[in-house]
Amino acid sequence: MWECVGMSEEVGTPPLTTGLLAHLPIPSGASLRGASYDRSKLTGGITHFGVGGFHRAHLALYIDDLAEAGQSTWSITGTGVMAHDTHMAEVLATQDNLYLVAERYGNRIDGRIVGSITECLPAQFDTSALLRNLVDVDTQIVSMTITESGYPVEHGKFVPDQSFIDDLHSAAPKTTFGLIVSALEHRHAAGLAPFTVMSCDNLPGNGDVVRTAVLGAAGLRSPALQSWLEANGAFPNSMVDRITPATTAADQEWATKTFGLVDRWPVICEPFRQWALEDCFVGGRPPFELAGAIMTSDVIPYEHMKLRLLNGSHTGLSYLAALAGITFVHDAVLDSRIAGFLRKLMKEESAPNLVAPHGIQLDEYQESLIERFSNPATADTVTRLCMDGTAKFPTFIVPSVEAQLANGGPIHMLALILAGWCRYLQGSADDGSSLALSHDPFISDAIEAARKSVADPKAFLQYERALGPNLQHSERLLATFSEALDSLESCGSLKTLELWVTR
């Protein structure tokens, strides 16, 4: 989610540039530190598609940590194919590609100036310059955060649309995968090794998904290119975790007042971060483990834990909170009915199907999520969590529903989530006011399924793009879902939660 950040600044407040690093302001009530390493000695190696808030609070911070500790000279070239990527590049250019990350929890505020992004080459600026960067032998990793809906993959299958195919065959591609495949084709022709393609998106098997996308796209260009990548490419799976709300104009103004400097697009996030990464790379890689990343041969337990507990809970509360007219996530979780729903969802319906990753207690992890969600300092919005429902349900909710149905376990909270999304898509909150439905590229299809459910609840469970082919065949789920839908319609979301959590 991108929001245009305001340009306001206090008179006399210094702008964030390289010159400011040697004379950082001393903020009151907050800490602030800057990139203390020599950025001129950073050598690149990573090109990242999608320089949004999450990337700048996650991968870019790991690279910054390594540079600060003198453990590597890797740095990042930022890029992207959307108009907002160009705007981000323009903002960062005025700041020598520096930016502020503010970690907030309660009254604690820790700020740092991050210097690991050293260049931005969005595709709309100069495609040829970006392609030269991708083909360059020094580029070892191409990473991406392009959201769940940015991959031409559905249910594990490569599903390009016509515009995607046309771009692949263009002499000057403009899409993420068109550019990546074009660069890989040039490297293959030049006798160079491929770069590692590393997804940092919230997807199960995100490395497998990006592998399917790249190999599928390569096959449309050349069977030989596809075969070469199958034999030589690397697509590591990973689990990424950090709550990073979209930056608003109010955040920018707060950062200016708090830290005494002007950053036109700061990042506000929680202190917590986690990254479990499959150690599978073509060539070199930064020593991510020295910055706290978990390098592993099996990401799946970490991935399932995070996607089904954190993201599943976020998705679950979002639509029910939206129906109740709640704006912020922390306000939702402070309501005992929603907090009780989350605890029951995780403990009884999501966690029973998980294998705890080494060294992690699932009960403690669940309580830590409630604490993280309750953090008012991040001011995360319910609207943000409601985005891209069609892409989220197959990943965050449906696997838990299918497992509970197979095991004969309880499904009441999961059915409530499905009913909450269905009611949300019908467009009216509990008080009758209209809902401004969040972005979803398949919103029209989802709304149509929700509309049909008024007469036939099973019609919503037949929305296979989001819910897959199996849920519609369960009579137990249909009965529970129908009951939940009726309760939400007659009682509203909060009263329904009060009744259902205690049953």
Side-chain angles (χ1 to χ4, degrees):
M1 175 65 176
W2 292 78
E3 298 185 18
C4 186
V5 177
M7 297 291 291
S8 63
E9 56 187 75
E10 296 184 4
V11 176
T13 305
L16 176 55
T17 60
T18 300
L20 190 63
L21 290 176
H23 306 91
L24 285 178
I26 302 176
S28 176
S31 66
L32 178 63
R33 57 191 175 96
S36 62
Y37 48 88
D38 185 350
R39 296 177 76 210
S40 70
K41 294 183 178 179
L42 300 182
T43 56
I46 301 174
T47 297
H48 184 86
F49 282 82
V51 187
F54 182 77
H55 166 67
R56 293 188 295 140
H58 201 262
L59 172 57
L61 228 62
Y62 281 92
I63 299 300
D64 191 72
D65 281 344
L66 292 173
E68 282 284 2
Q71 296 293 338
S72 87
T73 58
W74 289 74
S75 62
I76 298 169
T77 295
T79 190
V81 300
M82 309 297 286
H84 52 240
D85 295 306
T86 302
H87 183 40
M88 173 65 77
E90 292 169 342
V91 169
L92 289 177
T94 68
Q95 303 178 176
D96 299 329
N97 293 305
L98 297 167
Y99 63 93
L100 169 72
V101 172
E103 299 176 353
R104 301 182 64 184
Y105 188 86
N107 295 323
R108 173 186 160 193
I109 304 171
D110 295 320
R112 62 188 288 182
I113 308 301
V114 179
S116 57
I117 298 175
T118 53
E119 184 179 31
C120 282
L121 296 172
Q124 293 186 10
F125 271 9
D126 186 349
T127 301
S128 60
L130 175 55
L131 278 171
R132 285 195 299 271
N133 168 273
L134 294 171
V135 174
D136 193 300
V137 67
D138 290 335
T139 299
Q140 297 288 308
I141 298 171
V142 173
S143 55
M144 63 187 70
T145 43
I146 56 175
T147 77
E148 297 95 337
S149 60
Y151 296 81
V153 178
E154 292 180 18
H155 304 297
K157 304 295 184 182
F158 177 58
V159 286
D161 60 21
Q162 190 58 50
S163 63
F164 184 98
I165 295 170
D166 291 343
D167 185 73
L168 277 173
H169 294 298
S170 168
K174 297 291 186 182
T175 65
T176 298
F177 291 103
L179 287 159
I180 286 174
V181 168
S182 179
L184 287 168
E185 188 172 46
H186 280 87
R187 290 173 76 118
H188 183 213
L192 301 175
F195 43 68
T196 296
V197 184
M198 183 174 74
S199 172
C200 297
D201 276 302
N202 252 331
L203 292 165
N206 56 9
D208 298 332
V209 172
V210 79
R211 183 180 192 275
T212 297
V214 171
L215 291 182
L220 292 177
R221 294 276 293 210
S222 160
L225 177 63
Q226 184 181 51
S227 297
W228 176 68
L229 288 170
E230 286 177 337
N232 299 284
F235 309 88
N237 287 296
S238 67
M239 180 278 284
V240 296
D241 187 6
R242 185 167 225 185
I243 296 173
T244 311
T247 303
T248 65
D251 291 328
Q252 191 267 339
E253 292 171 1
W254 170 86
T256 297
K257 293 176 181 178
T258 300
F259 295 101
L261 56 84
V262 176
D263 182 342
R264 293 171 58 200
W265 214 319
V267 180
I268 316 297
C269 59
E270 64 171 341
F272 179 91
R273 61 176 160 141
Q274 191 174 51
W275 191 17
L277 177 61
E278 185 180 10
D279 200 352
C280 171
F281 290 78
V282 174
R285 67 164 176 84
F288 291 122
E289 62 274 22
L290 298 182
I294 302 166
M295 304 304 297
T296 178
S297 61
D298 185 9
V299 171
I300 290 176
Y302 299 93
E303 173 188 279
H304 286 179
M305 176 187 73
K306 191 262 180 174
L307 295 177
R308 299 185 192 179
L309 293 177
L310 188 153
N311 295 113
S313 297
H314 258 169
T315 300
L317 75 86
S318 63
Y319 302 107
L320 296 167
L323 291 171
I326 299 172
T327 300
F328 292 105
V329 175
H330 64 268
D331 287 330
V333 180
L334 289 174
D335 187 300
S336 61
R337 293 163 290 191
I338 293 180
F341 156 74
L342 292 176
R343 287 189 169 95
K344 189 164 187 174
L345 167 69
M346 290 190 287
K347 183 181 179 66
E348 298 182 10
E349 300 186 18
S350 299
N353 307 298
L354 300 175
V355 176
H358 177 71
I360 295 178
Q361 298 293 324
L362 288 182
D363 287 345
E364 294 177 5
Y365 182 77
Q366 292 166 55
E367 280 305 308
S368 76
L369 293 181
I370 299 293
E371 182 180 2
R372 291 169 64 192
F373 295 169
S374 303
N375 180 11
T378 54
D380 202 5
T381 64
V382 169
T383 298
R384 183 183 79 89
L385 301 189
C386 288
M387 291 176 59
D388 292 326
T390 301
K392 290 177 176 178
F393 269 79
T395 301
F396 305 156
I397 303 299
V398 171
S400 293
V401 180
E402 290 180 336
Q404 289 296 91
L405 290 174
N407 298 332
I411 56 170
H412 286 82
M413 301 302 103
L414 292 164
L416 266 179
I417 295 172
L418 295 170
W421 188 35
C422 182
R423 278 279 295 118
Y424 168 86
L425 290 167
Q426 291 169 0
S428 296
D430 291 341
D431 64 3
S433 60
S434 296
L435 290 168
L437 303 186
S438 294
H439 169 79
D440 185 329
F442 303 105
I443 192 71
S444 298
D445 292 343
I447 289 173
E448 179 63 14
R451 185 192 65 79
K452 290 180 178 178
S453 74
V454 175
D456 178 13
K458 189 173 184 179
F460 191 72
L461 299 181
Q462 292 172 332
Y463 181 38
E464 291 192 15
R465 179 181 291 277
L467 305 184
N470 300 322
L471 301 193
Q472 60 191 288
H473 302 299
S474 171
E475 292 300 322
R476 181 161 75 103
L477 176 61
L478 176 60
T480 311
F481 170 75
S482 301
E483 184 184 357
L485 208 54
D486 288 343
S487 183
L488 290 173
E489 179 66 34
S490 60
C491 301
S493 63
L494 295 180
K495 183 62 177 179
T496 295
L497 288 172
E498 180 182 329
L499 294 172
W500 278 52
V501 168
T502 57
R503 63 190 298 175

